[in-house]
Amino acid sequence: MFDWTIAFPTFLAAAVEWVEAFTIVLAASLSIGWRAASGAAAAALALLALMTAATGGAVRLGLALGRLQTAIGVFLLLFGVRWLAKAVARRAGLQARHDEAAEFADARSRIAAGDRRAAWLIAFKGVLLEGLEVWLIVVALGASGAWTSSVGAAVAALVLVAIVGSWVQAPLRRVPENALKFAVGAMIVSFGTFWTLEGLGGAGVWPLGDWSLAGLVLFYLTGGMLLAAVLRRLATQEALS
Amino acid sequence: VKALFHTLFGDARNVAVVTALVAIAAALTLSGRAAEAGYVVPPLTLAGIGWLAAR
């Protein structure tokens, strides 16, 4: 059965990472051509697909549900806490927002200093590293039993970014990356908190059962926005004093 | 390897925050206060996020 509560955060998170990967591939394509750059991206994606297939079944082997939930919850916390913290810092103006144009220029300057092989490797490594984050989310969210939903959402995001990117032929700067990162961070931290506590203390931990998950998302979204406002205010006061 | 480790776990501060959260969650649930954990851990998580964002 398709699980939208898993597919939605996976799709958003994957879209953010694929946009970053596309920028690197686009920069490489200007040096080695679309064919070679796409080949590098395809090689990295094939490796990621193999990893996903290998880990998908292995994650569930020999682990009791409680331990699996805790392990996945901790991984999601490791990932989500950092995403949400970064999004809060950017919203508060404490950290520069991610700029696809700057990322593109950086990749171009790295490629200009190297040869064709270096450009291919930069495209390969870029897709692999960005894709690793997608792999982590797909495996963690899919391991709860919603494998088709998490893999399907990540692939759908990849197809969408590839189509739009090929059409635009420029870094995808209009994607509201920080807003997406904020929302996805809140959702992933919520899943992480929910599963870690349920894995450790059983279903009785959450007073509203599965509905507590929606409450957690709301809590982290509003809490994150309040945090950003407070941090922005503190930074302004510090700058004035 | 460093990039892979960073991708999977984040930096040392991130690992420290999550380790502390899991330790608190485990302490609460193991001491029979599982029902309170659901109200204690989310605000602490948000505090950890705030600490990380400020750095």
Side-chain angles (χ1 to χ4, degrees):
Chain A
M1 204 180 84
F2 201 80
D3 187 342
W4 287 99
T5 57
I6 296 293
F8 187 58
T10 309
F11 180 86
L12 292 182
V16 171
E17 296 305 327
W18 295 139
V19 164
E20 291 180 22
F22 172 77
T23 302
I24 298 167
V25 174
L26 180 69
S29 76
L30 296 179
S31 291
I32 58 175
W34 260 115
R35 205 184 166 97
S38 306
L45 288 171
L47 186 58
L48 288 165
L50 270 176
M51 283 169 64
T52 309
T55 45
V59 163
R60 291 182 71 90
L61 281 179
L63 272 181
L65 183 65
R67 285 189 183 172
L68 182 68
Q69 274 184 324
T70 310
I72 291 170
V74 172
F75 251 103
L76 289 173
L77 277 177
L78 281 165
F79 200 75
V81 159
R82 137 176 64 131
W83 265 41
L84 191 53
K86 199 180 269 185
V88 166
R90 284 176 177 167
R91 196 181 167 92
L94 303 175
Q95 208 178 88
R97 287 179 187 238
H98 189 82
D99 184 350
E100 289 305 323
E103 175 80 34
F104 181 73
D106 178 56
R108 285 287 291 152
S109 67
R110 277 185 290 142
I111 289 164
D115 54 13
R116 278 184 67 83
R117 195 159 167 250
W120 193 94
L121 277 174
I122 285 171
F124 176 79
K125 214 171 90 176
V127 175
L128 189 63
L129 282 178
E130 302 299 343
L132 273 175
E133 299 196 35
V134 179
W135 166 73
L136 191 69
I137 291 175
V138 164
V139 171
L141 293 180
S144 64
W147 199 241
T148 317
S149 312
S150 67
V151 173
V155 172
L158 173 66
V159 171
L160 180 71
V161 169
I163 290 173
V164 175
S166 314
W167 182 52
V168 175
Q169 295 269 313
L172 301 174
R173 279 175 293 178
R174 288 188 186 172
V175 175
E177 200 206 306
N178 204 54
L180 282 178
K181 221 160 196 166
F182 204 103
V184 175
M187 282 189 250
I188 291 176
V189 173
S190 302
F191 274 108
T193 312
F194 187 83
W195 281 340
T196 302
L197 279 183
E198 195 168 275
L200 287 169
V205 169
W206 297 110
L208 301 175
D210 286 353
W211 282 101
S212 299
L213 191 57
L216 283 171
V217 173
L218 199 65
F219 173 77
Y220 286 123
L221 274 176
T222 49
M225 280 191 248
L226 281 172
L227 260 181
V230 170
L231 288 174
R232 180 184 282 275
R233 202 185 168 116
L234 287 174
T236 312
Q237 282 175 352
E238 204 169 294
L240 289 173
S241 63
Chain B
V1 176
K2 201 177 165 187
L4 178 67
F5 187 87
H6 193 271
T7 299
L8 293 179
F9 304 108
D11 62 12
R13 282 185 180 133
N14 189 58
V15 174
V17 165
V18 174
T19 305
L21 288 170
V22 175
I24 292 165
L28 285 169
T29 50
L30 292 174
S31 64
R33 294 183 176 182
E36 285 99 324
Y39 296 101
V40 173
V41 174
L44 288 177
T45 306
L46 200 58
I49 288 165
W51 182 74
L52 285 172
R55 262 140 197 94

